[in-house]
């Protein structure tokens, strides 16, 4: 079993990765991000880590709150990562995971994509189907996925 300090170090490193990833996606330098968050550069560098000086270090919860507000993380996200979470949810519903952002498209977007995909597949495998038939199949597929709990209920 790993020592508790190892877990803390791992979670600090994970938080640093997620914060760095978000900063990069916003196309900000470390200095710009610190100013954007209303933090001193050295305080901000503790969160992301400073390769020239030392690694990541814990900061006050008020510091994490400033980062969460500026970077549009859901409140409490930084503390949640330090407590064991493996991702951060952004206010727009996107999940930030190491190396990627996972978006959650709206039901309308999903329905449109299903309709287009169904039309493309039907054109290749069942060219005798009309557009109306493929549209009905796509609508039925979306409803079935909603019934099974894969997609959220429609409006």
């Amino acid at each position: 079993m790993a020592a508790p300090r190892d877990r803390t170090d791992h979670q600090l490193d994970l938080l640093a990765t997620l914060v760095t990833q978000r900063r990069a996606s916003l196309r900000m330098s470390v200095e710009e991000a610190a100013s954007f968050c209303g933090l001193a550069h050295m305080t901000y560098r503790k969160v992301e880590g400073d390769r020239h000086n030392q690694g990541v270090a814990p900061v006050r919860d008020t510091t994490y709150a400033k980062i969460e507000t500026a970077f549009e993380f859901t409140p409490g996200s930084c503390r949640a990562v330090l407590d064991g979470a493996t991702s951060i949810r952004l206010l727009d519903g996107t999940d930030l995971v190491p190396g990627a952002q996972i978006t959650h498209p709206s039901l309308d977007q999903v329905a449109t994509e299903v309709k287009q995909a169904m039309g493309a597949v039907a054109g290749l495998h069942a060219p005798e189907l009309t557009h109306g038939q493929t549209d009905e199949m796509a609508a039925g597929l979306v409803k079935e996925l909603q019934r099974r709990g894969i997609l959220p209920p429609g409006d």
Side-chain angles (χ1 to χ4, degrees):
M1 183 168 130
R5 183 67 189 148
D6 291 341
R7 182 177 182 276
T8 300
D9 288 345
H10 173 75
Q11 292 306 119
L12 279 168
D13 288 340
L14 176 59
L15 180 59
T17 297
L18 294 170
V19 170
T20 302
Q21 187 175 312
R22 179 64 172 160
R23 174 184 55 78
S25 75
L26 295 171
R27 292 183 165 77
M28 291 183 188
S29 68
V30 171
E31 292 77 17
E32 289 169 332
S35 294
F36 186 67
C37 294
L39 298 170
H41 296 180
M42 291 308 293
T43 301
Y44 183 85
R45 288 177 194 270
K46 288 180 182 179
V47 176
E48 277 198 26
D50 182 354
R51 341 173 223 176
H52 305 294
N53 195 4
Q54 55 188 341
V56 295
V59 295
R60 291 183 286 173
D61 284 342
T62 55
T63 299
Y64 293 130
K66 289 179 180 183
I67 292 170
E68 291 166 355
T69 300
F71 285 177
E72 298 182 345
F73 295 167
T74 55
S77 295
C78 293
R79 175 57 51 200
V81 169
L82 295 176
D83 291 340
T86 58
S87 66
I88 288 177
R89 170 90 25 118
L90 302 180
L91 294 176
D92 69 1
T94 300
D95 287 323
L96 187 62
V97 297
Q101 288 189 28
I102 302 170
T103 60
H104 302 279
S106 71
L107 183 58
D108 288 341
Q109 289 173 306
V110 171
T112 298
E113 291 297 324
V114 166
K115 182 178 175 181
Q116 290 174 355
M118 187 73 73
V121 170
L124 292 173
H125 299 285
E128 70 279 1
L129 293 176
T130 66
H131 287 292
Q133 290 171 318
T134 58
D135 287 350
E136 285 179 29
M137 288 175 57
L141 178 60
V142 169
K143 285 180 184 173
E144 180 63 18
L145 292 173
Q146 288 173 317
R147 187 187 70 72
R148 293 178 182 215
I150 305 298
L151 294 176
D155 297 332

